[in-house]
Amino acid sequence: AAELEYESVLCVKPDVNVYRIPPRTSNRGYRASDWKLDHPDWTGRLRVTSKGKTAYIKLEDKVSGELFAQAPIDQYPGIAVETVTDSSRYFVIRIQNGTGRSAFIGIGFADRGDAFDFNVSLQDHFKWVKQETEISKESQEADTRPKLDLGFKEGQTIKLNIGNMATKKGGAAKPRTSGSGGLSLLPPPPGGKIAVPPVPSPSSSAAVNHITPPPAQKPSSASSADILLDLGTPVPASKAPATADLWGDFSTASSAVPNQAPQQSNWVQF
């Protein structure tokens, strides 16, 4: 698995100074003021790479790219990379050779921005390493947990209750009412009534087709005084003139109207 891992570049800085540092005499930390900052022991290029979970600080020649020293880093912050107590541009790294021998040297940057980028590249890498470790740990814990058997057993069935499909208990679906001509009619709204047109009665239809004759005229010859004085004399009943046709003689009526002379028109006839 280590052979299949590829190496990625995290940070490249073209100018870096390397210093030989005196051994640390106390646990208070390193101080850059104890170094000969004006006379670096070596100057070259710095590259920060990663391969798997391990980061590497590589000091290379600016022209040929030949490797001068290499410092593998397993954790940060740690003993492999330490900051000094009196500056943010200088660090102490532990370099190792192929035989396993190690030594501590000091590196420094002329620009504070380069020192910031160097520090952030190491922080981002080991932050990613921490997340990968937590994810792998959670996956291993999930594998050790008992798995739930959600499969169907032999003979086991399920029942689906789909909305608008189930009817009431003990009842059947109501058939749709259809009107004349095969057109389906919608049921009336709840609480509403359908107005039915009134059916005319036979008496009202007969009254429309029948014309009531005019009432009979009362006799005008006898006065009210004569009726009170002469109670023994019967009052002769007058008969209303009988007419054979209630509508009258339309031909006679039309002949009685005098002929009117045609009115003279104001239009000129061409």
Side-chain angles (χ1 to χ4, degrees):
E3 294 178 356
L4 296 177
E5 293 177 350
Y6 61 91
E7 185 178 21
S8 60
V9 178
L10 304 179
C11 179
V12 177
K13 294 301 174 183
D15 295 319
V16 62
N17 298 325
V18 178
Y19 304 92
R20 290 180 181 180
I21 60 176
R24 183 166 51 181
T25 58
S26 62
N27 295 329
R28 65 178 184 178
Y30 293 98
R31 292 175 59 89
S33 60
D34 297 337
W35 308 343
K36 298 178 181 180
L37 301 179
D38 297 335
H39 301 86
D41 297 298
W42 184 86
T43 302
R45 179 180 64 188
L46 179 141
R47 282 198 312 141
V48 181
T49 62
S50 64
K51 190 175 183 180
K53 296 182 179 180
T54 305
Y56 298 89
I57 300 175
K58 295 183 178 183
L59 303 174
E60 301 172 345
D61 187 81
K62 292 182 180 181
V63 181
S64 62
E66 183 180 358
L67 182 63
F68 172 74
Q70 177 177 273
I73 306 171
D74 296 331
Q75 62 180 359
Y76 182 77
I79 193 174
V81 180
E82 297 182 42
T83 58
V84 297
T85 58
D86 56 348
S87 178
S88 61
R89 295 188 292 115
Y90 297 93
F91 302 86
V92 176
I93 64 175
R94 183 184 63 183
I95 60 175
Q96 292 180 353
N97 58 6
T99 60
R101 294 180 63 182
S102 62
F104 291 91
I105 62 174
I107 61 173
F109 301 93
D111 188 3
R112 293 185 184 275
D114 294 342
F116 177 80
D117 295 340
F118 169 75
N119 190 17
V120 169
S121 62
L122 292 175
Q123 289 179 354
D124 291 344
H125 171 73
F126 286 98
K127 186 183 295 184
W128 170 81
V129 171
K130 183 179 179 180
Q131 293 177 354
E132 288 292 323
T133 304
E134 293 177 353
I135 292 173
S136 61
K137 184 178 179 181
E138 291 177 358
S139 61
Q140 291 177 1
E141 292 178 354
D143 294 339
T144 57
R145 296 174 186 172
K147 297 182 180 180
L148 297 176
D149 186 10
L150 301 179
F152 285 97
K153 306 299 186 296
E154 184 177 357
Q156 185 179 4
T157 59
I158 60 174
K159 183 178 180 181
L160 299 178
N161 187 9
I162 303 176
N164 300 328
M165 295 293 293
T167 58
K168 296 182 179 180
K169 295 182 179 180
K174 296 182 180 180
R176 298 177 63 183
T177 58
S178 59
S180 60
L183 299 177
S184 61
L185 300 178
L186 296 176
K193 296 182 179 180
I194 300 177
V196 181
V199 180
S201 60
S203 60
S204 61
S205 60
V208 172
N209 297 330
H210 179 71
I211 298 177
T212 306
Q217 297 180 359
K218 293 182 180 181
S220 59
S221 59
S223 63
S224 60
D226 295 340
I227 294 174
L228 293 175
L229 294 176
D230 193 0
L231 297 176
T233 306
V235 179
S238 62
K239 296 182 179 180
T243 57
D245 191 0
L246 296 176
W247 294 99
D249 193 357
F250 288 99
S251 61
T252 306
S254 60
S255 60
V257 177
N259 294 331
Q260 296 179 0
Q263 297 179 0
Q264 186 176 0
S265 177
N266 295 328
W267 295 93
V268 179
Q269 185 176 2
F270 294 96

